[in-house]
Each structure stands twice: as C-alpha cells, then as structure tokens.
Amino acid sequence: MSDTFSTEERSRIMKAVHSRRNQSTELKLVSYFRKYSINGWRRNCKVFGHPDFVFPKRKIAVFVDGCFWHGHENCPIYVPPKTHSEYWFEKINRNRERDAKARAKIKAMGWNVIVIWECQLKPKVRQQTFEDLLHLLRVF
C-alpha cells in the first residue's frame, strides 16, 4: 500500500510521535520485583542516561531495552527493515552510540549497569533472566 503523505509530511508526522517508554517490558520487571520483594528501586529517576530502574543507595542502573530500537544483534526480534534501510541503519546506530556513551558515563560515576533485552523477557527464557538478575543484584 502506498503512503498517502509526501515524504516531507510523513517525516513531520513521525517526528511528532514521542516515546511512551517500553511500558510492557518494564511492567514485567515491576511485577518480578514485587513478587520477590526486591526493594530499593525507583523508576523515572533523574540519573544520566535515563535508566528504566535505579537502585540509588546501591548505585545500580537497570536498562530494559527493546531489541529493535536498540539494535540487539543475533536476536530473532531484531530484523533490520527492508524499506528505508539506510535511514533505519543510521537511526539504530545512533541509538547504540547514545546507549554506549550513557552507560560508560554512568559506570565512570561509580555505578553498576545491568542491561535486560526485550527478548530476555519472553516466556521461555524469562525465569532464567530473572534468576540472573537476582544474582547480579546480590553481587552488586
């Protein structure tokens, strides 16, 4: 199906769309934290790089990243688009670069960083992901 808008108009429309964050993946983690009485975490904390969860007293930042938007390689969810591939390649690379800089800066501030990918919250591997996360939270 062809687009009913010009390239410029479609671009203007898409620029006006703002992220509502990755709520469904974050909510899976919230339910896990509550189920296993993991305390001390905060959401929407003003920490550089905007981690999804922060354990301020323990200086732990947790990012829950969407496989497509953050370009999770070797992942079945991340399939590079076939149309406008140059645009998407550049967009996802900018996201990766921004993520790397933010995580490096947070680490330089003395924080520990944990990254959980969207695919790690799929039903078949979710329990293992939660167990790994619990282990990391105990270690840090």
Side-chain angles (χ1 to χ4, degrees), residues 53-56 58-62 111-114 136-137 140:
F53 295 91
V54 172
F55 292 81
R58 298 167 59 198
K59 291 185 128 182
I60 300 172
V62 180
W111 286 65
N112 290 297
V113 175
I114 299 171
L136 287 172
L137 291 173
F140 292 144

Side-chain angles (χ1 to χ4, degrees), residues 20-35 41 43 52-53 64 121 126 130:
R20 291 179 152 196
R21 306 189 41 97
N22 48 347
Q23 293 259 330
S24 64
T25 52
E26 287 180 27
L27 292 176
K28 288 174 188 167
L29 218 49
V30 167
S31 68
Y32 173 76
F33 288 160
R34 289 183 176 147
K35 179 178 178 180
W41 55 271
R43 288 177 73 191
D52 298 297
F53 295 91
V64 184
L121 296 174
R126 184 180 304 155
F130 290 155

Side-chain angles (χ1 to χ4, degrees), residues 70-73 78 92-100:
H70 297 269
H72 188 203
E73 296 203 18
Y78 175 64
I92 291 168
N93 274 343
R94 283 192 310 270
N95 290 348
R96 287 175 176 160
E97 289 171 11
R98 183 197 63 226
D99 293 344

Side-chain angles (χ1 to χ4, degrees), residues 51-118:
D52 298 297
F53 295 91
V54 172
F55 292 81
K57 290 182 181 175
R58 298 167 59 198
K59 291 185 128 182
I60 300 172
V62 180
F63 291 89
V64 184
D65 287 347
C67 295
F68 176 78
W69 294 107
H70 297 269
H72 188 203
E73 296 203 18
N74 301 317
C75 168
I77 293 175
Y78 175 64
V79 178
K82 291 183 180 20
T83 59
H84 304 292
S85 56
E86 185 177 319
Y87 166 81
W88 285 109
F89 177 78
E90 291 173 10
K91 166 75 174 147
I92 291 168
N93 274 343
R94 283 192 310 270
N95 290 348
R96 287 175 176 160
E97 289 171 11
R98 183 197 63 226
D99 293 344
K101 287 177 185 176
R103 291 170 187 158
K105 185 167 183 172
I106 292 171
K107 287 179 183 180
M109 295 166 40
W111 286 65
N112 290 297
V113 175
I114 299 171
V115 178
I116 297 174
W117 290 98
E118 174 187 8

Side-chain angles (χ1 to χ4, degrees), residues 116 119-121 125-134:
I116 297 174
C119 64
Q120 292 176 298
L121 296 174
V125 294
R126 184 180 304 155
Q127 190 58 41
Q128 183 62 52
T129 300
F130 290 155
E131 289 172 15
D132 294 345
L133 175 61
L134 187 58

